[in-house]
Amino acid sequence: MRIVADTGRCIGAAVCALAVPEIFDQDPVEATVVVLDPAPPPETHEAVREAVERCPSGALRVDGSTVSART
Amino acid sequence: MTTHPPLPQAPERQLPFDPPPEYAALRASGEVVRVSTPAGFDAWLVSDYAGVREVLGDGRRFSARPGSTAHVMPGFDPESPVDDLFTRMDGPEHIRIRRNFAPQLSHPRRLAELTPLVQETVDDALDGLKGAAQPHDLHVNYSRLISTTVIAELIGVPQESRHLFYDTAKALFDPTGKATEELGPALLPLYVYMQELVAARRAEPGDDVVSRLIAFNAQAERPLSDHELIMMNGALFIFGFDVISSRLSGGLLMLLSDRSRWERLCADPGLAPTAAEEVVRFLGSPTGLLRQATEDTTVHGQPIAAGDYVVLAVQSANRDTALLPDGDVFDMARKPGPHLGFGHGAHACVAQQIARVQLTAALRGLATRVPSLRLVKPLSEIECRDDSTARGPAEVPAAWDEVLPR
């Protein structure tokens, strides 16, 4: 799994950062998304997918299958 | 001229706990149909989860310009000038304004700072119930008190000026159909107040949201103008107190009208966060949201012409089996999912995180300190307010045995 973030689209709703704080944070000033681990460990994949689906702005995308082939 | 069937809505004064029954068949068919809106114009109605999410999520094809609830505001002209109101902006213009809010309202570290303020507000409101004459209206004296206090404390509006926001909200959402041009005088007192507030904060910054917005934006290529700050904070206040308190009061009625629900929350107040989320999924945006097509396009194969209005039936979409197999069930322990109760897309509720904190603290507060709480009227006798597009209860008439100490 690879997380792709489009900070130009992010509105800083904080849905991802509050749901999976070990993977997502927000910029301390702008409050746009910061992906702490773009190739997250398999045990977080479900939570990451759910957070991406709950993101209102469409700023987040996950590429790849559940196998984190690119780590 | 063809007349289209009216937009399905809850009967006047009836609380919209469920979307009108017509929606079940509509969303199952995935059909996009033509309706006439209460505001008098025609619109396409989208009522399923995938369709509503698609339209709200695509600000390029679907503009927010007409105003998100103009379809239920007969006096409001969706073609009127946007006048710096960020809720009606699109694209980069909208993002420029919208970006200012997250550091103040939703950054996790900022939320952690604000949570004690919310908790204190809730505890004060609960203390205020001690010795109150019963039955007591918890909408005005609890829900609205909490939502108003939190946003007023954030913006820095003292107690004696808060009524300005109630008066303005009432005028703004007057369902009797004021002409748009008459809204000017109704908004003037609030505008003048906010103008003075912004000037005062420019002269002497504090730790409030207005001062923070000014400071945050000072280095921007195009810093926020006074007019923009007034419109941003005015909107924040009016939506902030009205929508949040309507949801909280609606949620209280849902919980208190079914004793087994209330007892479950009292037995396990740790359910408050999921209960709050479920209230928003269940009751969020009962009027639906309005958009306008920017180009000739289609939704579920239905051609929609540039300029056509589109109503997104959010409450119906949140019941879609595509989202949840049992979406018509209110389940306070439900795991939060991608529901659309706070909207979706670039215009999703700007205060959604602070709203979650408030709803959670307010529900948990009553469940832990006033477990004997009960409604004194049957649900069928409680009316829906007719002076707000938030469609909340006019009252939450309640009684209790005692308010437990903090």
Side-chain angles (χ1 to χ4, degrees):
Chain A
M1 175 187 274
R2 187 115 201 129
I3 305 170
V4 182
D6 177 356
T7 49
R9 219 175 148 158
C10 179
I11 53 170
V15 170
C16 60
L18 289 164
V20 203
E22 66 273 31
I23 305 296
F24 300 103
D25 195 4
Q26 285 185 299
D27 182 272
V29 178
E30 300 291 329
T32 46
V33 64
V34 174
V35 182
L36 300 173
D37 186 352
E43 65 271 19
T44 64
H45 286 188
E46 194 190 340
V48 167
R49 274 180 212 290
E50 283 168 3
V52 168
E53 223 192 329
R54 290 179 65 205
C55 168
S57 69
L60 292 173
R61 206 178 73 228
V62 285
D63 288 344
S65 66
T66 48
V67 183
S68 53
R70 301 180 62 166
T71 49
Chain B
M1 188 184 127
T2 46
T3 44
H4 301 288
L7 173 74
Q9 286 204 108
E12 208 178 329
R13 306 243 168 183
Q14 190 174 309
L15 283 166
F17 286 116
D18 297 299
E22 295 92 317
Y23 281 109
L26 264 178
R27 69 172 172 263
S29 72
E31 244 185 302
V32 175
V33 297
R34 199 79 172 140
V35 294
S36 62
T37 66
F41 55 81
D42 292 341
W44 297 103
L45 174 63
V46 183
S47 27
D48 68 302
Y49 179 76
V52 170
R53 190 176 160 113
E54 175 189 332
V55 173
L56 291 177
D58 192 341
R60 194 185 54 79
R61 283 189 300 149
F62 298 99
S63 167
R65 195 184 178 287
S68 60
T69 55
H71 57 298
V72 292
M73 295 172 69
F76 181 82
D77 177 6
E79 304 288 336
S80 62
V82 170
D83 192 26
D84 284 346
L85 190 58
F86 70 97
T87 56
R88 296 180 62 197
M89 294 176 179
D90 295 313
E93 189 191 18
H94 168 248
I95 284 283
R96 172 181 163 260
I97 302 285
R98 171 83 193 210
R99 278 287 174 78
N100 292 282
F101 288 109
Q104 321 307 333
L105 292 176
S106 52
H107 193 294
R109 285 183 279 285
R110 171 76 168 149
L111 273 185
E113 282 171 24
L114 295 178
T115 300
L117 163 73
V118 173
Q119 190 56 51
E120 185 65 20
T121 304
V122 167
D123 274 319
D124 286 349
L126 288 164
D127 290 344
L129 300 180
K130 284 185 203 163
Q134 298 186 32
H136 200 60
D137 175 17
L138 293 189
H139 174 63
V140 167
N141 300 301
Y142 191 72
S143 304
R144 200 180 72 169
L145 175 64
I146 291 168
S147 68
T148 304
T149 305
V150 170
I151 191 72
E153 292 291 329
L154 281 177
I155 297 179
V157 176
Q159 183 79 45
E160 64 272 16
S161 304
R162 295 176 188 173
H163 69 92
L164 269 173
F165 293 87
Y166 297 152
D167 299 346
T168 308
K170 220 174 161 63
L172 202 56
F173 298 125
D174 192 326
T176 54
K178 256 192 197 87
T180 304
E181 55 267 30
E182 282 176 37
L183 279 175
L187 293 177
L188 196 60
L190 177 64
Y191 193 90
V192 169
Y193 177 80
M194 291 301 295
Q195 205 165 25
E196 286 167 4
L197 188 84
V198 167
R201 297 297 150 68
R202 281 203 194 276
E204 203 178 326
D207 190 38
D208 56 279
V209 164
V210 177
S211 301
R212 284 166 165 263
L213 286 170
I214 293 168
F216 176 75
N217 210 261
Q219 306 305 320
E221 205 174 301
R222 222 179 99 208
L224 295 168
S225 68
D226 281 8
H227 184 62
E228 285 170 336
L229 281 162
I230 292 164
M231 296 305 277
M232 286 163 75
N233 286 284
L236 205 57
F237 200 114
I238 288 174
F239 294 123
F241 92 77
D242 196 24
V243 182
I244 295 177
S245 64
S246 293
R247 257 6 122 232
L248 175 53
S249 288
L252 285 174
L253 291 181
M254 296 223 54
L255 292 163
L256 291 168
S257 61
D258 178 338
R259 208 66 204 162
S260 66
R261 284 183 190 152
W262 182 247
E263 284 167 0
R264 187 174 176 199
L265 183 62
C266 293
D268 184 3
L271 289 172
T274 48
E277 192 76 26
E278 184 70 340
V279 165
V280 176
R281 179 187 74 86
F282 223 73
L283 303 179
S285 198
T287 58
L289 296 169
L290 182 68
R291 293 291 186 267
Q292 187 172 27
T294 59
E295 58 184 58
D296 291 348
T297 185
T298 63
V299 175
H300 292 327
Q302 171 64 53
I304 292 175
D308 281 0
Y309 294 110
V310 185
V311 172
L312 296 319
V314 169
Q315 199 183 17
S316 165
N318 279 340
R319 309 291 181 96
D320 197 329
T321 48
L323 175 67
L324 292 165
D326 60 345
D328 280 321
V329 176
F330 180 86
D331 177 359
M332 72 175 81
R334 197 187 290 284
K335 185 179 172 188
H339 69 79
L340 309 171
F342 285 113
H344 184 68
H347 284 277
C349 177
V350 71
Q352 61 177 283
Q353 300 304 357
I354 193 80
R356 285 183 170 103
V357 172
Q358 282 186 59
L359 292 173
T360 299
L363 293 178
R364 191 177 46 220
L366 282 173
T368 49
R369 293 186 57 194
V370 201
S372 58
L373 192 65
R374 57 199 175 265
L375 287 179
V376 299
K377 270 189 193 175
L379 207 49
S380 57
E381 285 177 25
I382 298 175
E383 291 195 340
C384 179
R385 277 168 61 209
D386 65 356
D387 59 356
S388 162
T389 57
R391 295 279 196 274
E395 56 172 349
V396 180
W400 57 88
D401 300 333
E402 65 169 329
V403 177
L404 301 173
R406 293 188 185 205

